[in-house]
Amino acid sequence: MTDLSILERVRQRLAAETSEPSPHSVAVALRAEQHVAGSGAVLALVDQLRSETRGAGPLDPLLAMPGVTDVLVNGPNEVYIDRGRGLERAEIRFADDGAVRRLAQRLAAQGGRRLDDASPWVDARLSDGTRLHAVLAPLARPGTLLSLRVPARRAFSLDELRRAGSLTDDSAHLLHRIIAARAAFVITGGTGSGKTTLLAALLAAVDPNERLVIVEDATELRPDHPHVVGLEARPANVEGAGLVTVRDLVRQALRMRPDRLVVGEVRGAEVVDLLAALNTGHEGGCGTLHANSPLDVPARFEALGVAAGLPRDAVHSQLAASLDLVIHVARGTDGVRRIEQIAVLDRNRDGTVACVPAVTLGPTGSEPGVGRGRLEAMLR
């Protein structure tokens, strides 16, 4: 009998008896399986079984590491972490794909979601704010896939981002001016580019007397600001009831006297209500948007708005009247996340909106673009 088979038989016996893993219960189960083990082996088995029933099991040490933003499990033999410098291979291994599956199902249950062969994927938020996504094998290869997005343990200030190399002196000063001018903006970039981190830092620089109302699909923004309230979307339960969308919450937020309305990530029908709000006196609103460059932003808003039922020309009219700036961030080849460009919006003769570079930023300085004059006029 192999160690893995012993572990599985003990696990099944404890589950049948509804016993918690303890030195006594494990020792009794081992004797019932006619297996002799020393006290050290019994204690090691207790630790392993307990890790399967608490927290994230063997992934807990990775989630607790300073700076970790993502933990990715590709089947039993491949575990990766991201500490802001790209993906790194971790030394942790699972016994088999069944162990990954059990962990994924237990975490999904903690998030109030179902994960089994009839519902083989899940997207949920755990009680500590960690985002969980999992897909079970055999749909996933090379085994059950588990993705954990770790919420920021603290918010950074603009000065801290400058010291870390994400901002230059020029860009930090410019961002302070953008916040003071109450310009409406979106932060764009790819996955893991630092959009949420920068947005939290910008919100921390808002006047302490202003009220921030933040709407998110899952809570990630935790700005260091004295007056922050948040609304979080909710997926439907296993019966298909109870769905609360980001669009629902944007409408509620408008009734909560926001000085600044913040949408953590614009990616659905909420774009209609957000643009309408920014166009009706709600200055200084902001959010993030997935886009490869500022030039792609009008097309992204157009796609979201048309899908939500707005005519194309109405999307561009609302966009031109409500949004002032686009701040684009990206992760460099050295792993450092930096602001690459700040762009203003301009209306073309055909009525469509285009993003015009105002400042292009590099590690050593800034280069003005054709929209710099409009940016300066706006910030005055």
Side-chain angles (χ1 to χ4, degrees), residues 56-301:
L59 301 181
D60 274 336
L62 301 181
L63 294 171
M65 292 174 64
V68 167
T69 60
D70 296 88
V71 176
L72 309 175
V73 180
N74 303 344
N77 299 317
E78 297 181 18
V79 179
Y80 295 87
I81 61 173
D82 187 347
R83 289 185 284 188
R85 300 186 295 270
L87 294 179
E88 307 170 46
R89 186 80 172 260
E91 297 300 323
I92 290 176
R93 301 288 184 276
F94 289 81
D96 52 28
D97 192 67
V100 185
R101 182 187 180 101
R102 285 190 297 273
L103 174 59
Q105 290 177 316
R106 181 164 57 78
L107 293 176
Q110 290 179 16
R113 305 301 302 280
R114 170 184 172 186
L115 182 62
D116 53 31
D117 289 334
S119 182
W121 56 76
V122 69
D123 189 1
R125 187 178 75 87
L126 307 183
S127 58
D128 64 353
T130 299
R131 284 290 302 271
L132 161 72
H133 184 268
V135 185
L136 298 179
L139 269 68
R141 297 193 307 269
T144 296
L145 304 181
L146 189 59
S147 305
L148 295 170
R149 168 61 66 89
V150 184
R153 293 178 175 87
R154 71 179 187 90
F156 292 90
S157 67
L158 291 176
D159 287 340
E160 287 175 314
L161 292 181
R162 178 180 55 79
R163 290 194 294 269
S166 295
L167 305 177
T168 63
D169 291 342
D170 289 345
S171 59
H173 177 66
L174 193 53
L175 292 177
H176 277 291
R177 293 179 63 198
I178 288 172
I179 290 297
R182 297 183 58 81
F185 63 88
V186 291
I187 300 175
T188 62
T191 301
S193 58
K195 299 186 297 296
T196 301
T197 299
L198 178 60
L199 180 56
L202 288 169
L203 294 177
V206 171
D207 188 317
N209 295 317
E210 295 187 30
R211 173 178 169 89
L212 310 181
V213 181
I214 300 176
V215 178
E216 295 181 271
D217 184 55
T219 300
E220 290 184 279
L221 281 168
R222 294 181 172 90
D224 184 13
H225 188 278
H227 197 157
V228 179
V229 295
L231 300 174
E232 182 179 10
R234 183 178 66 195
N237 60 21
V238 292
E239 287 83 21
L243 174 67
V244 178
T245 67
V246 173
R247 185 175 189 180
D248 296 330
L249 296 180
V250 169
R251 292 172 178 172
Q252 300 309 311
L254 295 176
R255 296 170 173 84
M256 296 170 63
R257 198 231 171 253
D259 286 310
R260 296 192 190 235
L261 174 62
V262 183
V263 177
E265 182 180 344
V266 182
R267 60 178 177 181
E270 67 274 3
V271 68
V272 176
D273 301 280
L274 176 63
L275 291 177
L278 297 180
N279 198 25
T280 53
H282 292 275
E283 296 180 342
C286 53
T288 72
L289 179 78
H290 277 276
N292 293 326
S293 73
L295 296 177
D296 299 330
V297 169
R300 288 282 292 132
F301 271 101

Side-chain angles (χ1 to χ4, degrees), residues 320-374:
S322 58
L323 196 65
D324 297 315
L325 300 171
V326 174
I327 302 170
H328 187 71
V329 295
R331 188 204 297 262
T333 55
D334 56 359
V336 178
R337 302 172 175 96
R338 297 184 177 92
I339 295 182
E340 286 194 339
Q341 192 174 88
I342 297 175
V344 296
L345 276 69
D346 196 13
R347 198 83 181 262
N348 296 321
R349 291 184 177 179
D350 61 359
T352 60
V353 171
C355 277
V356 179
V359 183
T360 300
L361 298 153
T364 58
S366 60
E367 179 181 340
V370 294
R372 183 60 188 254
R374 285 195 58 192

